Amino acid sequence: VQQDNPFQTPQADLQQASASTLPLYRIASVGLGTFLGTPLAGAWMLAHNLQLLGKADRVAMVWGVAVCLLALTLALAFVLPEEVPTLPFAIGQLLGMVMLAKHLTEADIQQHAAAGGTFLSNWRAAGIAVLFSIAVMALLFAVLMILDV
């Protein structure tokens, strides 16, 4: 190492960030996000994982499934009588998104964990879910006000 110029930056090889150093969401986080904040929140977390895992080509399909699940649930909520319990709808959305997350990323997430990779907090997932829930409620409120229902 030359000490001729004390202001010269040290010479070092730069390393590319590997998949094990990038934080991912657990499948449980996708489920938590879906339960608290509609399938859109779960899709956002699953899309994050897919992009970091190099499977960005599947993100559009994930968003499509999430929008269809949400639209189906909202349509059933408006059509079915008020006496019908709503918990089965939430459980159906939850199971749909968790099964999709397992199908698309379970092996990669297990490999990520085995390699010592880090995971994002479930609290972060809950916060994102609450934000999505507020956004969906505001959108529904605006639509209902426009339609004068």
Side-chain angles (χ1 to χ4, degrees):
V1 177
Q2 263 185 329
Q3 296 291 337
D4 294 340
N5 185 357
F7 301 106
Q8 183 177 0
T9 58
Q11 299 296 322
D13 293 331
L14 297 178
Q15 298 176 357
Q16 293 292 330
S18 66
S20 64
T21 61
L22 300 172
L24 298 175
Y25 287 102
R26 292 179 178 88
I27 292 176
S29 297
V30 174
L32 177 67
T34 300
F35 187 74
L36 294 177
T38 75
L40 299 180
W44 190 85
M45 293 170 213
L46 186 53
H48 170 84
N49 283 356
L50 289 171
Q51 288 175 347
L52 292 181
L53 293 170
K55 297 180 178 183
D57 58 321
R58 297 179 182 175
V59 170
M61 184 261 306
V62 167
W63 280 107
V65 168
V67 168
C68 287
L69 278 172
L70 181 62
L72 177 68
T73 303
L74 290 176
L76 288 174
F78 283 111
V79 172
L80 294 175
E82 290 184 20
E83 297 83 32
V84 175
T86 58
L87 188 60
F89 299 123
I91 292 172
Q93 290 177 344
L94 173 69
L95 290 176
M97 287 303 293
V98 167
M99 287 173 42
L100 182 63
K102 281 185 177 184
H103 175 72
L104 293 176
T105 62
E106 185 174 32
D108 294 319
I109 288 177
Q110 287 176 350
Q111 184 180 12
H112 178 77
T118 58
F119 290 96
L120 295 168
S121 169
N122 284 344
W123 286 106
R124 179 178 171 150
I128 290 169
V130 168
L131 292 176
F132 268 93
S133 183
I134 291 169
V136 168
M137 283 190 277
L139 182 64
L140 284 174
F141 181 75
V143 167
L144 291 176
M145 292 299 287
I146 290 171
L147 296 177
D148 197 29
V149 174

